[in-house]
Amino acid sequence: MIKTAEGFNVEKIRNDFPILNRKVNGRNLVYFDNAATSQTPQQVIDCIVDYYQNYNANIHRGVHALSQEATEAYENARRIVQRHFNAKDFKEIILTSGTTHSINLVASGYEKFMTAGDEVLVSGLEHHSNIVPWQMLCEKTGAQLKVLAMTEEGVLDMQSFEDLLNFKTKLVMVNHVSNALGTINPIEDIIEKAHAVGAKVLVDGAQATPHIKPDVQALDVDYYTCSAHKICGPTGVGMLYGKQELLEELPPYQGGGEMIDQVSFEKTTYAGLPNKFEAGTPNICGGIAFGKALDYMNSIGFESIAAYEQDLLDYATQRLNEFDNIIIYGPNTDAKTAVISFNFQGLHPYDVGTLVDKMGIAVRTGHHCAQPIMEFFKIPGTIRASFSFYNTKAEIDLFIEALQKANSMLL
Amino acid sequence: MSSIVEKQNEVVDEFSMFEDWMQRYEYMIELGKSLPLIDERYKTDDNIIKGCQSRVWVHADMNDNDKIEFTADSDAIITKGIIAILIRVFSDQTPKEILEANTDFIDEIGLKEHLSPTRANGLVSMIKQLKMYALAYSKA
């Protein structure tokens, strides 16, 4: 049964987010920059406070009570993440500082496996964080970087994908959802076809995970990444999922404490998974709060979240289309998450963003760390409004009023 | 000819008449629209100020009185308004005067938010660029 947005108690949910009560430039905050960072519910804030008030200690080494409690909470969070993504084993969940760290970890490890003549295929819809590490890998190894083009509608050209894919392709990189346009990419299809030529697939899930609950086993994805700060968790923590056999082969990314088995000056042996990739004291509090954030999101339910956000997206799109000079980039509302990337004909996104900020509205303007997409559309940037399950139609109405005012001032 | 300080005081006086942010911004937008445009041949990549979300070009010439005249343009109108204010204050001054000028007036006219170095509109970069031109001419 498909859940609808009816019965979704947004007012009750909003009470969980203290920041939504604050004022900006004298107005009630309207926060539509959720694709950059989501807000934090009181339950997660309490979890962070509880850690520092009651059991702040280093993990995995102390025999004392605090260290044991912290270790237990941190490893419990790893299992929450494992269950959420339906990974086969907790060893497949590496807690990182976020998606960028996760991607760099994998890219760095592949230096060992890549040689000149190999190819890596990167989608044209990627965030810079899923482009630059692969360019660096190619520079170091002599491998070739190929780009999977996107179409005018802001979706991947799947015919060109099949053309580009070949037996030299070692890795395919694609985001589950585009940060700049909200496009939901056909990752099942991409993974299946990439596997047919023996390529591994890394999916950047940073923009998908706030809206979709991925099942890594069902997807048969090789690597999947996300960042907690986009899923109601704190900044500076995230996940790398990797299939166990692949992570076993991948060399360590950083050396240090925690990641070792035995150290001597002659020879050091590494710890097993997941510790091999978690050198140094990790973001303990962040990891624990990441688990809490996933629990919070699951208590609301991803089906309910998706249905409610779809309703917001449809409404906002309909209201934006009231402007004669609106240009919306990317696919139709049924093929993307709750993100609208747009411009007004004749207006610079920076001007519009500056004025709506004065009216208490937070949107992102600029190239969204996806300059190749802006280059494709020949624009300096867009205004991006991204919605979360705690936003309301009343806020969208305020946004539209602010945009009307900005238009009248600028045109 | 007014000094930089006198011109800054004029700008501060004008902005003090506005009651709210909207009037200030409407005025800046007007200033932006009336900004004398840079000669197209100077809208080169060399003249782009880096660190701006919008593109900003500034060009400097020394006039017959040994004073610097700035011309500029931007693809964003509010940014143009900001440059228009800067040009009004700093243009037609000697390199030495420009180098020695302080820029506290930006704060006084309620544009402090644009001064944050993290804000990508690059007001800080623009002021720096004007001073760099002045420095270059002071050694010429």
Side-chain angles (χ1 to χ4, degrees), chain A residues 153-228:
Chain A
E153 289 75 43
V155 299
L156 293 174
D157 178 353
M158 290 304 285
Q159 183 56 49
S160 102
F161 176 60
E162 286 185 30
D163 295 343
L164 283 165
L165 208 56
N166 66 75
F167 287 97
K168 290 183 283 183
T169 314
K170 290 288 174 294
L171 284 164
V172 175
M173 267 61 70
V174 63
N175 51 32
H176 195 166
V177 166
S178 150
N179 77 305
L181 305 176
T183 314
I184 303 171
N185 287 314
I187 58 166
E188 294 86 349
D189 195 22
I190 289 172
I191 291 164
E192 204 177 14
K193 286 176 176 147
H195 284 172
V197 298
K200 305 297 179 208
V201 181
L202 180 143
V203 174
D204 167 0
Q207 293 296 330
T209 42
H211 316 283
I212 296 166
K213 186 173 177 173
D215 179 331
V216 291
Q217 289 190 71
L219 287 167
D220 195 25
V221 65
D222 301 297
Y223 304 98
Y224 195 95
T225 68
C226 75
S227 297

Side-chain angles (χ1 to χ4, degrees), chain A residues 110-359:
Chain A
Y110 268 81
E111 281 174 37
K112 187 178 158 187
F113 307 123
M114 303 294 284
T115 51
D118 287 341
E119 293 179 5
V120 300
L121 184 49
V122 175
S123 109
L125 273 171
E126 296 312 295
H127 186 282
H128 295 163
S129 64
N130 205 17
I131 300 173
V132 182
W134 307 110
Q135 287 176 323
M136 290 162 67
L137 173 68
C138 288
E139 273 172 28
K140 285 177 189 153
T141 61
Q144 288 272 312
L145 187 95
K146 302 277 177 177
V147 180
L148 166 56
M150 69 166 191
T151 67
E152 281 290 328
E153 289 75 43
V155 299
L156 293 174
D157 178 353
M158 290 304 285
Q159 183 56 49
S160 102
F161 176 60
E162 286 185 30
D163 295 343
L164 283 165
L165 208 56
N166 66 75
F167 287 97
K168 290 183 283 183
T169 314
K170 290 288 174 294
L171 284 164
V172 175
M173 267 61 70
V174 63
N175 51 32
H176 195 166
V177 166
S178 150
N179 77 305
L181 305 176
T183 314
I184 303 171
N185 287 314
I187 58 166
E188 294 86 349
D189 195 22
I190 289 172
I191 291 164
E192 204 177 14
K193 286 176 176 147
H195 284 172
V197 298
K200 305 297 179 208
V201 181
L202 180 143
V203 174
D204 167 0
Q207 293 296 330
T209 42
H211 316 283
I212 296 166
K213 186 173 177 173
D215 179 331
V216 291
Q217 289 190 71
L219 287 167
D220 195 25
V221 65
D222 301 297
Y223 304 98
Y224 195 95
T225 68
C226 75
S227 297
H229 70 272
K230 298 191 199 286
I231 334 171
C232 294
T235 56
V237 65
M239 174 203 75
L240 167 67
Y241 159 82
K243 285 179 181 164
Q244 188 172 343
E245 64 271 24
L246 297 176
L247 291 178
E248 301 277 9
E249 285 175 14
L250 209 62
Y253 178 51
Q254 291 178 317
E258 292 261 4
M259 55 76 74
I260 49 90
D261 173 28
Q262 295 287 325
V263 175
S264 72
F265 283 108
E266 287 72 40
K267 170 90 182 150
T268 290
T269 53
Y270 305 127
L273 293 173
N275 302 39
K276 181 172 93 172
F277 293 111
E278 295 185 8
T281 299
N283 184 351
I284 302 166
C285 177
I288 296 167
F290 180 15
K292 188 76 189 176
L294 288 178
D295 277 348
Y296 176 80
M297 299 278 288
N298 280 303
S299 74
I300 297 169
F302 277 81
E303 278 187 35
S304 304
I305 287 172
Y308 179 76
E309 289 177 348
Q310 186 68 44
D311 199 33
L312 287 181
L313 177 65
D314 289 339
Y315 180 69
T317 306
Q318 175 207 322
R319 296 274 349 244
L320 280 173
N321 278 320
E322 290 169 14
F323 290 91
D324 296 336
N325 57 341
I326 190 90
I327 309 163
I328 295 178
Y329 305 94
N332 291 331
T333 57
D334 56 353
K336 65 176 182 179
T337 55
V339 169
I340 308 179
S341 212
F342 66 97
N343 271 323
F344 291 109
Q345 190 84 47
L347 300 186
H348 196 287
Y350 177 77
D351 287 331
V352 179
T354 300
L355 294 180
V356 299
D357 167 62
K358 300 301 288 185
M359 296 179 257

Side-chain angles (χ1 to χ4, degrees), chain A residues 348 350-351 358 365 405 410, chain B residues 22 53 76-78 113 121:
Chain A
H348 196 287
Y350 177 77
D351 287 331
K358 300 301 288 185
T365 60
K405 183 80 205 164
L410 290 164
Chain B
M22 204 171 281
Q53 251 195 42
I77 194 79
I78 293 173
E113 70 223 41
N121 83 337

